[in-house]
């Protein structure tokens, strides 16, 4: 075995020993009140009072990026937050797509979730919205786990 061989990682716990949170990046924080604007097409929005959360992940050989996008359709408007956590990998590793997905759901999502909540609620407050739903718990049945190549 050469020194350049990748270490095979088989569990999230083992991956935690070599993956370290490097930074958090916002990609979008936006909100729009519906009063004073033409109503959007209902087909383009989640149901009222619903938060759609998509979790995407990517492993490039040196880092894992996990990105969550929340779209919240409240009675008074639409709120969007899109946040990613980047984890640096300390050594050369071999990871299966299933392990990267499990890491994103179990480790990265709980780290990202407070940033999503804060962005949604501070945007709602700035827009003067009263009825903003909370983002569902991590294991909410409506949460969708996507890889970068999944259909939008």
């Amino acid at each position: 075995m050469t020194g350049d061989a990748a270490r095979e990682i088989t569990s999230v716990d083992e991956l935690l020993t070599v993956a370290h949170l490097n930074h958090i990046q916002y990609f979008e924080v936006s909100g729009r009140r519906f009063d004073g604007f033409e109503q959007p097409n209902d087909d383009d929005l989640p149901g009222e009072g619903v938060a759609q959360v998509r979790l995407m992940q990517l492993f490039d050989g040196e880092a894992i990026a996990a990105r969550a996008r929340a779209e919240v359709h409240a009675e008074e408007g639409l709120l969007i937050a899109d946040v990613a956590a980047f984890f640096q990998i300390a050594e050369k590793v071999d990871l299966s797509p299933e392990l990267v997905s499990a890491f994103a759901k179990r480790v990265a999502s709980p780290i990202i979730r407070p940033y999503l909540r804060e962005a949604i609620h501070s945007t709602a407050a700035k827009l003067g919205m009263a009825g903003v739903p909370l983002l569902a718990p991590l294991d909410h049945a409506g949460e969708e786990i996507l890889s970068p190549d999944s259909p939008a």
Side-chain angles (χ1 to χ4, degrees):
M1 188 160 132
T2 67
D4 292 310
R7 175 177 158 196
E8 186 176 351
I9 304 286
T10 59
S11 72
V12 171
D13 289 332
E14 191 179 2
L15 182 52
L16 278 168
T17 65
V18 295
H20 306 284
L21 181 62
N22 190 15
H23 69 282
I24 301 291
Q25 175 70 52
Y26 286 87
F27 287 92
E28 181 178 1
V29 177
S30 64
R32 181 180 65 190
R33 288 186 62 103
F34 290 153
D35 57 335
F37 290 91
E38 185 177 318
Q39 290 293 323
N41 181 343
D42 286 343
D43 295 339
D44 297 336
L45 298 173
E48 190 173 298
V50 171
Q52 285 185 334
V53 180
R54 291 185 175 159
L55 180 61
M56 299 162 278
Q57 63 279 329
L58 179 66
F59 173 62
D60 68 2
E62 296 179 3
I64 294 174
R67 183 172 172 175
R69 179 179 176 84
E71 296 183 16
V72 179
H73 181 196
E75 181 179 337
E76 298 173 274
L78 177 66
L79 303 159
I80 298 172
D82 191 340
V83 182
F86 293 87
F87 297 83
Q88 191 65 41
I89 306 298
E91 60 186 76
K92 189 173 180 179
V93 295
D94 184 22
L95 305 176
S96 70
E98 296 80 18
L99 181 57
V100 174
S101 180
F103 181 86
K105 187 169 185 178
R106 185 174 138 200
V107 177
S109 183
I111 291 170
I112 297 168
R113 191 64 64 127
Y115 291 91
L116 289 176
R117 283 190 182 118
E118 185 280 329
I120 294 294
H121 287 281
S122 65
T123 301
K126 289 175 184 173
L127 296 176
M129 294 180 173
V132 179
L134 291 173
L135 294 182
L138 179 61
D139 60 351
H140 185 263
E143 186 165 17
E144 205 176 338
I145 307 298
L146 300 173
S147 64
D149 56 347
S150 295

PDB file of all heavy atoms in Angstrom, residues 21-57:
ATOM      1  N   LEU A  21     -15.523  21.285  10.317  1.00  0.00           N
ATOM      2  CA  LEU A  21     -16.267  22.424   9.785  1.00  0.00           C
ATOM      3  C   LEU A  21     -15.299  23.558   9.478  1.00  0.00           C
ATOM      4  O   LEU A  21     -14.544  24.000  10.340  1.00  0.00           O
ATOM      5  CB  LEU A  21     -17.331  22.886  10.780  1.00  0.00           C
ATOM      6  CG  LEU A  21     -18.195  24.061  10.342  1.00  0.00           C
ATOM      7  CD1 LEU A  21     -19.010  23.722   9.099  1.00  0.00           C
ATOM      8  CD2 LEU A  21     -19.121  24.475  11.489  1.00  0.00           C
ATOM      9  N   ASN A  22     -15.315  24.005   8.241  1.00  0.00           N
ATOM     10  CA  ASN A  22     -14.421  25.068   7.787  1.00  0.00           C
ATOM     11  C   ASN A  22     -15.133  26.417   7.763  1.00  0.00           C
ATOM     12  O   ASN A  22     -14.620  27.401   8.284  1.00  0.00           O
ATOM     13  CB  ASN A  22     -13.862  24.722   6.401  1.00  0.00           C
ATOM     14  CG  ASN A  22     -12.755  25.630   5.967  1.00  0.00           C
ATOM     15  OD1 ASN A  22     -12.194  26.360   6.768  1.00  0.00           O
ATOM     16  ND2 ASN A  22     -12.436  25.604   4.692  1.00  0.00           N
ATOM     17  N   HIS A  23     -16.324  26.474   7.144  1.00  0.00           N
ATOM     18  CA  HIS A  23     -17.074  27.726   7.143  1.00  0.00           C
ATOM     19  C   HIS A  23     -18.526  27.502   6.719  1.00  0.00           C
ATOM     20  O   HIS A  23     -18.872  26.468   6.168  1.00  0.00           O
ATOM     21  CB  HIS A  23     -16.405  28.795   6.270  1.00  0.00           C
ATOM     22  CG  HIS A  23     -16.436  28.524   4.804  1.00  0.00           C
ATOM     23  ND1 HIS A  23     -15.594  27.637   4.183  1.00  0.00           N
ATOM     24  CD2 HIS A  23     -17.222  29.033   3.815  1.00  0.00           C
ATOM     25  CE1 HIS A  23     -15.851  27.610   2.890  1.00  0.00           C
ATOM     26  NE2 HIS A  23     -16.830  28.441   2.633  1.00  0.00           N
ATOM     27  N   ILE A  24     -19.322  28.523   6.998  1.00  0.00           N
ATOM     28  CA  ILE A  24     -20.735  28.580   6.618  1.00  0.00           C
ATOM     29  C   ILE A  24     -20.858  29.659   5.549  1.00  0.00           C
ATOM     30  O   ILE A  24     -20.270  30.736   5.672  1.00  0.00           O
ATOM     31  CB  ILE A  24     -21.631  28.952   7.828  1.00  0.00           C
ATOM     32  CG1 ILE A  24     -21.487  27.937   8.959  1.00  0.00           C
ATOM     33  CG2 ILE A  24     -23.088  29.127   7.404  1.00  0.00           C
ATOM     34  CD1 ILE A  24     -22.048  26.565   8.683  1.00  0.00           C
ATOM     35  N   GLN A  25     -21.628  29.371   4.507  1.00  0.00           N
ATOM     36  CA  GLN A  25     -21.814  30.330   3.408  1.00  0.00           C
ATOM     37  C   GLN A  25     -23.296  30.497   3.120  1.00  0.00           C
ATOM     38  O   GLN A  25     -23.997  29.509   2.945  1.00  0.00           O
ATOM     39  CB  GLN A  25     -21.103  29.822   2.149  1.00  0.00           C
ATOM     40  CG  GLN A  25     -21.323  30.668   0.918  1.00  0.00           C
ATOM     41  CD  GLN A  25     -20.624  31.999   1.024  1.00  0.00           C
ATOM     42  OE1 GLN A  25     -19.439  32.057   1.298  1.00  0.00           O
ATOM     43  NE2 GLN A  25     -21.344  33.078   0.811  1.00  0.00           N
ATOM     44  N   TYR A  26     -23.772  31.745   3.075  1.00  0.00           N
ATOM     45  CA  TYR A  26     -25.134  32.034   2.638  1.00  0.00           C
ATOM     46  C   TYR A  26     -25.124  32.190   1.120  1.00  0.00           C
ATOM     47  O   TYR A  26     -24.263  32.861   0.574  1.00  0.00           O
ATOM     48  CB  TYR A  26     -25.650  33.334   3.255  1.00  0.00           C
ATOM     49  CG  TYR A  26     -26.003  33.224   4.712  1.00  0.00           C
ATOM     50  CD1 TYR A  26     -25.039  33.424   5.695  1.00  0.00           C
ATOM     51  CD2 TYR A  26     -27.294  32.925   5.104  1.00  0.00           C
ATOM     52  CE1 TYR A  26     -25.360  33.324   7.036  1.00  0.00           C
ATOM     53  CE2 TYR A  26     -27.617  32.829   6.447  1.00  0.00           C
ATOM     54  CZ  TYR A  26     -26.649  33.030   7.407  1.00  0.00           C
ATOM     55  OH  TYR A  26     -26.974  32.927   8.723  1.00  0.00           O
ATOM     56  N   PHE A  27     -26.109  31.591   0.435  1.00  0.00           N
ATOM     57  CA  PHE A  27     -26.263  31.753  -0.999  1.00  0.00           C
ATOM     58  C   PHE A  27     -27.473  32.619  -1.344  1.00  0.00           C
ATOM     59  O   PHE A  27     -27.478  33.275  -2.373  1.00  0.00           O
ATOM     60  CB  PHE A  27     -26.372  30.391  -1.695  1.00  0.00           C
ATOM     61  CG  PHE A  27     -25.056  29.674  -1.744  1.00  0.00           C
ATOM     62  CD1 PHE A  27     -24.697  28.796  -0.748  1.00  0.00           C
ATOM     63  CD2 PHE A  27     -24.166  29.913  -2.766  1.00  0.00           C
ATOM     64  CE1 PHE A  27     -23.475  28.149  -0.774  1.00  0.00           C
ATOM     65  CE2 PHE A  27     -22.931  29.272  -2.806  1.00  0.00           C
ATOM     66  CZ  PHE A  27     -22.597  28.394  -1.800  1.00  0.00           C
ATOM     67  N   GLU A  28     -28.469  32.600  -0.480  1.00  0.00           N
ATOM     68  CA  GLU A  28     -29.634  33.465  -0.694  1.00  0.00           C
ATOM     69  C   GLU A  28     -30.370  33.645   0.617  1.00  0.00           C
ATOM     70  O   GLU A  28     -30.558  32.697   1.376  1.00  0.00           O
ATOM     71  CB  GLU A  28     -30.596  32.858  -1.725  1.00  0.00           C
ATOM     72  CG  GLU A  28     -31.810  33.728  -2.005  1.00  0.00           C
ATOM     73  CD  GLU A  28     -32.748  33.169  -3.063  1.00  0.00           C
ATOM     74  OE1 GLU A  28     -32.481  32.079  -3.596  1.00  0.00           O
ATOM     75  OE2 GLU A  28     -33.760  33.832  -3.347  1.00  0.00           O
ATOM     76  N   VAL A  29     -30.772  34.876   0.863  1.00  0.00           N
ATOM     77  CA  VAL A  29     -31.700  35.217   1.936  1.00  0.00           C
ATOM     78  C   VAL A  29     -32.627  36.253   1.331  1.00  0.00           C
ATOM     79  O   VAL A  29     -32.192  37.332   0.932  1.00  0.00           O
ATOM     80  CB  VAL A  29     -30.989  35.797   3.177  1.00  0.00           C
ATOM     81  CG1 VAL A  29     -32.010  36.215   4.231  1.00  0.00           C
ATOM     82  CG2 VAL A  29     -30.007  34.787   3.767  1.00  0.00           C
ATOM     83  N   SER A  30     -33.905  35.883   1.195  1.00  0.00           N
ATOM     84  CA  SER A  30     -34.832  36.822   0.571  1.00  0.00           C
ATOM     85  C   SER A  30     -36.233  36.630   1.121  1.00  0.00           C
ATOM     86  O   SER A  30     -36.562  35.604   1.692  1.00  0.00           O
ATOM     87  CB  SER A  30     -34.838  36.658  -0.955  1.00  0.00           C
ATOM     88  OG  SER A  30     -35.312  35.382  -1.308  1.00  0.00           O
ATOM     89  N   GLY A  31     -37.024  37.662   0.922  1.00  0.00           N
ATOM     90  CA  GLY A  31     -38.414  37.608   1.345  1.00  0.00           C
ATOM     91  C   GLY A  31     -39.243  38.592   0.538  1.00  0.00           C
ATOM     92  O   GLY A  31     -38.725  39.594   0.037  1.00  0.00           O
ATOM     93  N   ARG A  32     -40.518  38.262   0.407  1.00  0.00           N
ATOM     94  CA  ARG A  32     -41.430  39.139  -0.330  1.00  0.00           C
ATOM     95  C   ARG A  32     -42.799  39.069   0.321  1.00  0.00           C
ATOM     96  O   ARG A  32     -43.347  37.992   0.519  1.00  0.00           O
ATOM     97  CB  ARG A  32     -41.515  38.686  -1.784  1.00  0.00           C
ATOM     98  CG  ARG A  32     -42.441  39.572  -2.608  1.00  0.00           C
ATOM     99  CD  ARG A  32     -42.520  39.109  -4.019  1.00  0.00           C
ATOM    100  NE  ARG A  32     -43.139  37.782  -4.023  1.00  0.00           N
ATOM    101  CZ  ARG A  32     -43.198  37.000  -5.084  1.00  0.00           C
ATOM    102  NH1 ARG A  32     -42.667  37.375  -6.211  1.00  0.00           N
ATOM    103  NH2 ARG A  32     -43.792  35.849  -5.025  1.00  0.00           N
ATOM    104  N   ARG A  33     -43.328  40.234   0.639  1.00  0.00           N
ATOM    105  CA  ARG A  33     -44.707  40.307   1.133  1.00  0.00           C
ATOM    106  C   ARG A  33     -45.640  40.221  -0.055  1.00  0.00           C
ATOM    107  O   ARG A  33     -45.330  40.703  -1.134  1.00  0.00           O
ATOM    108  CB  ARG A  33     -44.940  41.621   1.866  1.00  0.00           C
ATOM    109  CG  ARG A  33     -44.256  41.697   3.220  1.00  0.00           C
ATOM    110  CD  ARG A  33     -44.654  42.978   3.929  1.00  0.00           C
ATOM    111  NE  ARG A  33     -46.077  43.013   4.170  1.00  0.00           N
ATOM    112  CZ  ARG A  33     -46.660  42.774   5.356  1.00  0.00           C
ATOM    113  NH1 ARG A  33     -45.908  42.506   6.390  1.00  0.00           N
ATOM    114  NH2 ARG A  33     -47.955  42.831   5.484  1.00  0.00           N
ATOM    115  N   PHE A  34     -46.792  39.600   0.159  1.00  0.00           N
ATOM    116  CA  PHE A  34     -47.757  39.467  -0.926  1.00  0.00           C
ATOM    117  C   PHE A  34     -48.634  40.709  -1.078  1.00  0.00           C
ATOM    118  O   PHE A  34     -49.053  41.028  -2.178  1.00  0.00           O
ATOM    119  CB  PHE A  34     -48.646  38.241  -0.727  1.00  0.00           C
ATOM    120  CG  PHE A  34     -47.915  36.930  -0.903  1.00  0.00           C
ATOM    121  CD1 PHE A  34     -48.354  35.803  -0.258  1.00  0.00           C
ATOM    122  CD2 PHE A  34     -46.795  36.818  -1.712  1.00  0.00           C
ATOM    123  CE1 PHE A  34     -47.708  34.591  -0.411  1.00  0.00           C
ATOM    124  CE2 PHE A  34     -46.135  35.621  -1.877  1.00  0.00           C
ATOM    125  CZ  PHE A  34     -46.595  34.500  -1.214  1.00  0.00           C
ATOM    126  N   ASP A  35     -48.927  41.420   0.007  1.00  0.00           N
ATOM    127  CA  ASP A  35     -49.778  42.601  -0.139  1.00  0.00           C
ATOM    128  C   ASP A  35     -49.028  43.678  -0.916  1.00  0.00           C
ATOM    129  O   ASP A  35     -47.846  43.890  -0.738  1.00  0.00           O
ATOM    130  CB  ASP A  35     -50.241  43.121   1.227  1.00  0.00           C
ATOM    131  CG  ASP A  35     -49.104  43.446   2.169  1.00  0.00           C
ATOM    132  OD1 ASP A  35     -48.010  42.862   2.008  1.00  0.00           O
ATOM    133  OD2 ASP A  35     -49.302  44.262   3.075  1.00  0.00           O
ATOM    134  N   GLY A  36     -49.720  44.292  -1.837  1.00  0.00           N
ATOM    135  CA  GLY A  36     -49.090  45.306  -2.666  1.00  0.00           C
ATOM    136  C   GLY A  36     -48.458  44.747  -3.927  1.00  0.00           C
ATOM    137  O   GLY A  36     -47.941  45.483  -4.738  1.00  0.00           O
ATOM    138  N   PHE A  37     -48.485  43.419  -4.084  1.00  0.00           N
ATOM    139  CA  PHE A  37     -47.929  42.772  -5.265  1.00  0.00           C
ATOM    140  C   PHE A  37     -48.972  41.841  -5.854  1.00  0.00           C
ATOM    141  O   PHE A  37     -49.851  41.353  -5.166  1.00  0.00           O
ATOM    142  CB  PHE A  37     -46.694  41.918  -4.917  1.00  0.00           C
ATOM    143  CG  PHE A  37     -45.508  42.745  -4.526  1.00  0.00           C
ATOM    144  CD1 PHE A  37     -45.287  43.076  -3.197  1.00  0.00           C
ATOM    145  CD2 PHE A  37     -44.607  43.183  -5.466  1.00  0.00           C
ATOM    146  CE1 PHE A  37     -44.195  43.824  -2.823  1.00  0.00           C
ATOM    147  CE2 PHE A  37     -43.506  43.935  -5.099  1.00  0.00           C
ATOM    148  CZ  PHE A  37     -43.296  44.258  -3.779  1.00  0.00           C
ATOM    149  N   GLU A  38     -48.845  41.578  -7.122  1.00  0.00           N
ATOM    150  CA  GLU A  38     -49.691  40.575  -7.749  1.00  0.00           C
ATOM    151  C   GLU A  38     -49.346  39.229  -7.117  1.00  0.00           C
ATOM    152  O   GLU A  38     -48.185  38.911  -6.899  1.00  0.00           O
ATOM    153  CB  GLU A  38     -49.399  40.544  -9.252  1.00  0.00           C
ATOM    154  CG  GLU A  38     -50.315  39.626 -10.015  1.00  0.00           C
ATOM    155  CD  GLU A  38     -50.025  39.699 -11.502  1.00  0.00           C
ATOM    156  OE1 GLU A  38     -49.809  40.803 -12.024  1.00  0.00           O
ATOM    157  OE2 GLU A  38     -50.022  38.631 -12.120  1.00  0.00           O
ATOM    158  N   GLN A  39     -50.367  38.444  -6.818  1.00  0.00           N
ATOM    159  CA  GLN A  39     -50.129  37.142  -6.202  1.00  0.00           C
ATOM    160  C   GLN A  39     -49.394  36.224  -7.161  1.00  0.00           C
ATOM    161  O   GLN A  39     -49.707  36.176  -8.350  1.00  0.00           O
ATOM    162  CB  GLN A  39     -51.469  36.492  -5.808  1.00  0.00           C
ATOM    163  CG  GLN A  39     -52.156  37.174  -4.646  1.00  0.00           C
ATOM    164  CD  GLN A  39     -51.374  37.003  -3.349  1.00  0.00           C
ATOM    165  OE1 GLN A  39     -50.799  35.966  -3.099  1.00  0.00           O
ATOM    166  NE2 GLN A  39     -51.362  38.039  -2.528  1.00  0.00           N
ATOM    167  N   PRO A  40     -48.401  35.479  -6.661  1.00  0.00           N
ATOM    168  CA  PRO A  40     -47.693  34.532  -7.524  1.00  0.00           C
ATOM    169  C   PRO A  40     -48.593  33.356  -7.868  1.00  0.00           C
ATOM    170  O   PRO A  40     -49.597  33.120  -7.203  1.00  0.00           O
ATOM    171  CB  PRO A  40     -46.520  34.075  -6.652  1.00  0.00           C
ATOM    172  CG  PRO A  40     -46.984  34.310  -5.250  1.00  0.00           C
ATOM    173  CD  PRO A  40     -47.919  35.494  -5.303  1.00  0.00           C
ATOM    174  N   ASN A  41     -48.228  32.636  -8.893  1.00  0.00           N
ATOM    175  CA  ASN A  41     -48.933  31.427  -9.284  1.00  0.00           C
ATOM    176  C   ASN A  41     -48.778  30.405  -8.160  1.00  0.00           C
ATOM    177  O   ASN A  41     -47.668  30.076  -7.766  1.00  0.00           O
ATOM    178  CB  ASN A  41     -48.335  30.896 -10.594  1.00  0.00           C
ATOM    179  CG  ASN A  41     -49.034  29.662 -11.087  1.00  0.00           C
ATOM    180  OD1 ASN A  41     -49.763  28.983 -10.374  1.00  0.00           O
ATOM    181  ND2 ASN A  41     -48.811  29.350 -12.347  1.00  0.00           N
ATOM    182  N   ASP A  42     -49.893  29.899  -7.643  1.00  0.00           N
ATOM    183  CA  ASP A  42     -49.846  28.952  -6.534  1.00  0.00           C
ATOM    184  C   ASP A  42     -49.077  27.682  -6.868  1.00  0.00           C
ATOM    185  O   ASP A  42     -48.569  27.009  -5.985  1.00  0.00           O
ATOM    186  CB  ASP A  42     -51.262  28.583  -6.071  1.00  0.00           C
ATOM    187  CG  ASP A  42     -51.914  29.705  -5.285  1.00  0.00           C
ATOM    188  OD1 ASP A  42     -51.190  30.606  -4.818  1.00  0.00           O
ATOM    189  OD2 ASP A  42     -53.149  29.667  -5.132  1.00  0.00           O
ATOM    190  N   ASP A  43     -48.984  27.328  -8.143  1.00  0.00           N
ATOM    191  CA  ASP A  43     -48.237  26.130  -8.536  1.00  0.00           C
ATOM    192  C   ASP A  43     -46.747  26.279  -8.276  1.00  0.00           C
ATOM    193  O   ASP A  43     -46.025  25.287  -8.170  1.00  0.00           O
ATOM    194  CB  ASP A  43     -48.445  25.824 -10.026  1.00  0.00           C
ATOM    195  CG  ASP A  43     -49.885  25.452 -10.332  1.00  0.00           C
ATOM    196  OD1 ASP A  43     -50.605  25.040  -9.405  1.00  0.00           O
ATOM    197  OD2 ASP A  43     -50.273  25.585 -11.508  1.00  0.00           O
ATOM    198  N   ASP A  44     -46.265  27.517  -8.178  1.00  0.00           N
ATOM    199  CA  ASP A  44     -44.844  27.773  -7.975  1.00  0.00           C
ATOM    200  C   ASP A  44     -44.438  27.796  -6.512  1.00  0.00           C
ATOM    201  O   ASP A  44     -43.261  27.929  -6.196  1.00  0.00           O
ATOM    202  CB  ASP A  44     -44.456  29.115  -8.607  1.00  0.00           C
ATOM    203  CG  ASP A  44     -44.662  29.118 -10.113  1.00  0.00           C
ATOM    204  OD1 ASP A  44     -44.646  28.023 -10.720  1.00  0.00           O
ATOM    205  OD2 ASP A  44     -44.846  30.209 -10.666  1.00  0.00           O
ATOM    206  N   LEU A  45     -45.405  27.710  -5.595  1.00  0.00           N
ATOM    207  CA  LEU A  45     -45.115  27.848  -4.175  1.00  0.00           C
ATOM    208  C   LEU A  45     -45.501  26.594  -3.403  1.00  0.00           C
ATOM    209  O   LEU A  45     -46.429  25.879  -3.794  1.00  0.00           O
ATOM    210  CB  LEU A  45     -45.913  29.022  -3.590  1.00  0.00           C
ATOM    211  CG  LEU A  45     -45.619  30.394  -4.149  1.00  0.00           C
ATOM    212  CD1 LEU A  45     -46.603  31.405  -3.601  1.00  0.00           C
ATOM    213  CD2 LEU A  45     -44.202  30.810  -3.817  1.00  0.00           C
ATOM    214  N   PRO A  46     -44.809  26.342  -2.282  1.00  0.00           N
ATOM    215  CA  PRO A  46     -45.289  25.286  -1.400  1.00  0.00           C
ATOM    216  C   PRO A  46     -46.628  25.724  -0.815  1.00  0.00           C
ATOM    217  O   PRO A  46     -46.979  26.906  -0.886  1.00  0.00           O
ATOM    218  CB  PRO A  46     -44.211  25.205  -0.323  1.00  0.00           C
ATOM    219  CG  PRO A  46     -43.497  26.504  -0.369  1.00  0.00           C
ATOM    220  CD  PRO A  46     -43.640  27.030  -1.773  1.00  0.00           C
ATOM    221  N   GLY A  47     -47.384  24.818  -0.251  1.00  0.00           N
ATOM    222  CA  GLY A  47     -48.662  25.179   0.358  1.00  0.00           C
ATOM    223  C   GLY A  47     -48.469  26.196   1.464  1.00  0.00           C
ATOM    224  O   GLY A  47     -47.424  26.250   2.105  1.00  0.00           O
ATOM    225  N   GLU A  48     -49.487  27.022   1.700  1.00  0.00           N
ATOM    226  CA  GLU A  48     -49.395  28.066   2.718  1.00  0.00           C
ATOM    227  C   GLU A  48     -49.094  27.439   4.077  1.00  0.00           C
ATOM    228  O   GLU A  48     -49.673  26.430   4.459  1.00  0.00           O
ATOM    229  CB  GLU A  48     -50.716  28.839   2.781  1.00  0.00           C
ATOM    230  CG  GLU A  48     -50.636  30.078   3.639  1.00  0.00           C
ATOM    231  CD  GLU A  48     -51.902  30.893   3.535  1.00  0.00           C
ATOM    232  OE1 GLU A  48     -52.220  31.352   2.432  1.00  0.00           O
ATOM    233  OE2 GLU A  48     -52.565  31.037   4.571  1.00  0.00           O
ATOM    234  N   GLY A  49     -48.188  28.054   4.822  1.00  0.00           N
ATOM    235  CA  GLY A  49     -47.790  27.541   6.118  1.00  0.00           C
ATOM    236  C   GLY A  49     -46.827  26.364   6.022  1.00  0.00           C
ATOM    237  O   GLY A  49     -46.575  25.687   7.002  1.00  0.00           O
ATOM    238  N   VAL A  50     -46.267  26.136   4.834  1.00  0.00           N
ATOM    239  CA  VAL A  50     -45.388  24.992   4.608  1.00  0.00           C
ATOM    240  C   VAL A  50     -43.970  25.475   4.319  1.00  0.00           C
ATOM    241  O   VAL A  50     -43.775  26.455   3.610  1.00  0.00           O
ATOM    242  CB  VAL A  50     -45.891  24.148   3.410  1.00  0.00           C
ATOM    243  CG1 VAL A  50     -44.883  23.081   3.026  1.00  0.00           C
ATOM    244  CG2 VAL A  50     -47.230  23.519   3.743  1.00  0.00           C
ATOM    245  N   ALA A  51     -43.016  24.756   4.876  1.00  0.00           N
ATOM    246  CA  ALA A  51     -41.611  25.014   4.566  1.00  0.00           C
ATOM    247  C   ALA A  51     -41.074  23.817   3.795  1.00  0.00           C
ATOM    248  O   ALA A  51     -41.115  22.699   4.273  1.00  0.00           O
ATOM    249  CB  ALA A  51     -40.814  25.221   5.848  1.00  0.00           C
ATOM    250  N   GLN A  52     -40.616  24.071   2.583  1.00  0.00           N
ATOM    251  CA  GLN A  52     -39.942  23.029   1.810  1.00  0.00           C
ATOM    252  C   GLN A  52     -38.453  23.187   2.072  1.00  0.00           C
ATOM    253  O   GLN A  52     -37.907  24.274   1.889  1.00  0.00           O
ATOM    254  CB  GLN A  52     -40.191  23.197   0.317  1.00  0.00           C
ATOM    255  CG  GLN A  52     -41.547  22.791  -0.144  1.00  0.00           C
ATOM    256  CD  GLN A  52     -41.659  22.886  -1.662  1.00  0.00           C
ATOM    257  OE1 GLN A  52     -40.959  23.647  -2.306  1.00  0.00           O
ATOM    258  NE2 GLN A  52     -42.564  22.105  -2.216  1.00  0.00           N
ATOM    259  N   VAL A  53     -37.817  22.104   2.490  1.00  0.00           N
ATOM    260  CA  VAL A  53     -36.386  22.137   2.750  1.00  0.00           C
ATOM    261  C   VAL A  53     -35.720  21.087   1.882  1.00  0.00           C
ATOM    262  O   VAL A  53     -36.117  19.929   1.889  1.00  0.00           O
ATOM    263  CB  VAL A  53     -36.068  21.875   4.237  1.00  0.00           C
ATOM    264  CG1 VAL A  53     -34.560  21.904   4.474  1.00  0.00           C
ATOM    265  CG2 VAL A  53     -36.765  22.893   5.123  1.00  0.00           C
ATOM    266  N   ARG A  54     -34.724  21.513   1.132  1.00  0.00           N
ATOM    267  CA  ARG A  54     -33.932  20.593   0.312  1.00  0.00           C
ATOM    268  C   ARG A  54     -32.522  20.575   0.867  1.00  0.00           C
ATOM    269  O   ARG A  54     -31.941  21.629   1.134  1.00  0.00           O
ATOM    270  CB  ARG A  54     -33.894  21.050  -1.139  1.00  0.00           C
ATOM    271  CG  ARG A  54     -35.217  20.916  -1.816  1.00  0.00           C
ATOM    272  CD  ARG A  54     -35.079  21.256  -3.270  1.00  0.00           C
ATOM    273  NE  ARG A  54     -36.349  21.006  -3.922  1.00  0.00           N
ATOM    274  CZ  ARG A  54     -36.702  21.544  -5.056  1.00  0.00           C
ATOM    275  NH1 ARG A  54     -35.888  22.362  -5.683  1.00  0.00           N
ATOM    276  NH2 ARG A  54     -37.868  21.264  -5.590  1.00  0.00           N
ATOM    277  N   LEU A  55     -31.979  19.386   1.020  1.00  0.00           N
ATOM    278  CA  LEU A  55     -30.610  19.225   1.485  1.00  0.00           C
ATOM    279  C   LEU A  55     -29.803  18.592   0.371  1.00  0.00           C
ATOM    280  O   LEU A  55     -30.158  17.533  -0.130  1.00  0.00           O
ATOM    281  CB  LEU A  55     -30.578  18.352   2.747  1.00  0.00           C
ATOM    282  CG  LEU A  55     -29.216  18.087   3.369  1.00  0.00           C
ATOM    283  CD1 LEU A  55     -28.557  19.385   3.817  1.00  0.00           C
ATOM    284  CD2 LEU A  55     -29.363  17.132   4.544  1.00  0.00           C
ATOM    285  N   MET A  56     -28.743  19.266  -0.047  1.00  0.00           N
ATOM    286  CA  MET A  56     -27.885  18.780  -1.126  1.00  0.00           C
ATOM    287  C   MET A  56     -26.480  18.600  -0.568  1.00  0.00           C
ATOM    288  O   MET A  56     -26.096  19.288   0.368  1.00  0.00           O
ATOM    289  CB  MET A  56     -27.877  19.790  -2.269  1.00  0.00           C
ATOM    290  CG  MET A  56     -29.250  20.011  -2.879  1.00  0.00           C
ATOM    291  SD  MET A  56     -29.349  21.538  -3.834  1.00  0.00           S
ATOM    292  CE  MET A  56     -29.632  22.725  -2.529  1.00  0.00           C
ATOM    293  N   GLN A  57     -25.721  17.683  -1.149  1.00  0.00           N
ATOM    294  CA  GLN A  57     -24.368  17.464  -0.682  1.00  0.00           C
ATOM    295  C   GLN A  57     -23.445  17.177  -1.846  1.00  0.00           C
ATOM    296  O   GLN A  57     -23.882  16.714  -2.890  1.00  0.00           O
ATOM    297  CB  GLN A  57     -24.302  16.331   0.335  1.00  0.00           C
ATOM    298  CG  GLN A  57     -24.713  14.966  -0.181  1.00  0.00           C
ATOM    299  CD  GLN A  57     -26.211  14.757  -0.228  1.00  0.00           C
ATOM    300  OE1 GLN A  57     -26.926  15.315   0.579  1.00  0.00           O
ATOM    301  NE2 GLN A  57     -26.679  13.982  -1.172  1.00  0.00           N
TER     302      GLN A  57
END
